[in-house]
């Protein structure tokens, strides 16, 4: 793609993001994006099939950044959690606006795509398990990453007075020590 095409696509993406911050995908039209970006519909269709395709490309590009980090991790990195959390934290900080939208909008498919990526990555490190162990591993991975993504989404929406580093440290503590242990520490 030449520089002009890249710039045009980026302008269309930016116009979309400005509208997506204000309303759901279903209420954003190709015509609106083109008007805001200053292009015609033909130009839009040179880059995207439709609005869901545009959002999907944003999701996939962001997921690709996460996958690039995850693919460099070892099993030890994944299970010790620091490297994984620090990698995702770096991507979030560099792409805060987009990550915030993708993690909190109900019409985004990003959270399940991210869960799927993490699931594939972790199960790739755990080859050779028995069927029973594999089923338990699937439950544990689903539980963990559903919780982590849920907490991250909650933090993005509310921030609850926690800085990102505090939130990441606390999620690591909960991940390593258990949810009930963390709750019992506060209740007692």
């Amino acid at each position: 793609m030449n520089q002009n095409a890249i710039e045009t696509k980026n302008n269309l993406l930016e116009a979309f993001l400005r509208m997506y911050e204000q309303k759901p995908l279903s209420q954003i039209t190709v015509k609106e994006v083109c008007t805001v970006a200053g292009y015609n519909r033909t130009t839009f269709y040179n880059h995207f099939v439709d609005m869901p395709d545009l959002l999907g490309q944003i999701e996939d590009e962001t997921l690709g950044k996460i996958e690039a980090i995850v693919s460099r991790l070892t099993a030890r990195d994944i299970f010790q959690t620091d490297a994984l959390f620090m990698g995702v934290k770096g991507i979030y900080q560099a792409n805060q606006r987009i990550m915030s939208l993708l993690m909190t909008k109900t019409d985004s498919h990003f959270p399940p795509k991210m869960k799927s990526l993490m699931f594939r990555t972790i199960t790739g490190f755990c080859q050779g398990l028995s069927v029973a162990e594999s089923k338990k591993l699937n439950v544990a991975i689903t539980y963990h990453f559903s919780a982590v993504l849920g907490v991250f989404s909650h933090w993005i929406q509310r921030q609850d007075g926690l800085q990102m580093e505090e939130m990441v440290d606390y999620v690591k503590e909960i991940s390593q020590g258990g949810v009930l242990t963390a709750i019992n520490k506060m209740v007692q």
Side-chain angles (χ1 to χ4, degrees):
M1 197 179 298
N2 69 38
Q3 191 59 38
N4 285 340
I6 292 169
E7 185 176 324
T8 298
K9 184 174 182 178
N10 287 338
N11 290 339
L12 289 164
L13 290 169
E14 177 57 34
F16 168 78
L17 289 171
R18 278 189 265 149
M19 286 184 273
Y20 196 48
E21 288 171 324
Q22 305 300 317
K23 55 188 176 180
L25 178 66
S26 62
Q27 294 178 8
I28 302 171
T29 67
V30 171
K31 182 179 178 181
E32 285 178 296
V33 170
C34 291
T35 299
V36 170
Y39 298 103
N40 62 42
R41 292 168 61 92
T42 303
T43 302
F44 178 91
Y45 291 116
N46 286 336
H47 298 279
F48 310 104
V49 174
D50 53 20
M51 298 309 296
D53 177 56
L54 187 155
L55 178 58
Q57 286 188 37
I58 293 171
E59 291 171 345
D60 292 345
E61 180 181 323
T62 305
L63 195 64
K65 293 173 185 176
I66 294 170
E67 191 166 17
I69 287 175
V70 169
S71 69
R72 293 190 301 260
L73 299 177
T74 65
R76 180 176 171 82
D77 293 332
I78 292 283
F79 299 120
Q80 294 299 321
T81 69
D82 281 351
L84 179 59
F85 280 116
M86 292 303 107
V88 173
K89 174 185 164 190
I91 290 169
Y92 174 76
Q93 289 174 327
N95 303 277
Q96 189 169 350
R97 178 183 180 211
I98 290 172
M99 288 286 290
S100 293
L101 288 168
L102 295 179
M103 290 298 296
T104 59
K105 292 285 199 161
T106 58
D107 48 16
S108 170
H109 296 101
F110 184 76
K113 287 179 179 180
M114 188 160 163
K115 252 192 275 187
S116 177
L117 167 65
M118 298 315 300
F119 187 85
R120 287 190 318 270
T121 301
I122 291 175
T123 55
F125 288 122
C126 301
Q127 300 299 318
L129 296 177
S130 70
V131 173
E133 289 171 324
S134 292
K135 288 179 180 181
K136 287 180 180 178
L137 177 66
N138 292 348
V139 169
I141 293 169
T142 301
Y143 175 86
H144 179 70
F145 282 103
S146 293
V148 169
L149 289 173
V151 167
F152 189 57
S153 178
H154 174 84
W155 178 81
I156 289 169
Q157 291 174 12
R158 294 175 185 80
Q159 301 212 355
D160 293 333
L162 291 175
Q163 296 298 314
M164 180 163 213
E165 291 77 16
E166 294 173 292
M167 188 266 305
V168 167
D169 287 344
Y170 192 55
V171 168
K172 287 189 299 188
E173 181 183 323
I174 292 170
S175 295
Q176 294 168 346
V179 174
L180 296 178
T181 301
I183 292 171
N184 283 327
K185 282 182 185 178
M186 288 180 269
V187 174
Q188 295 175 353

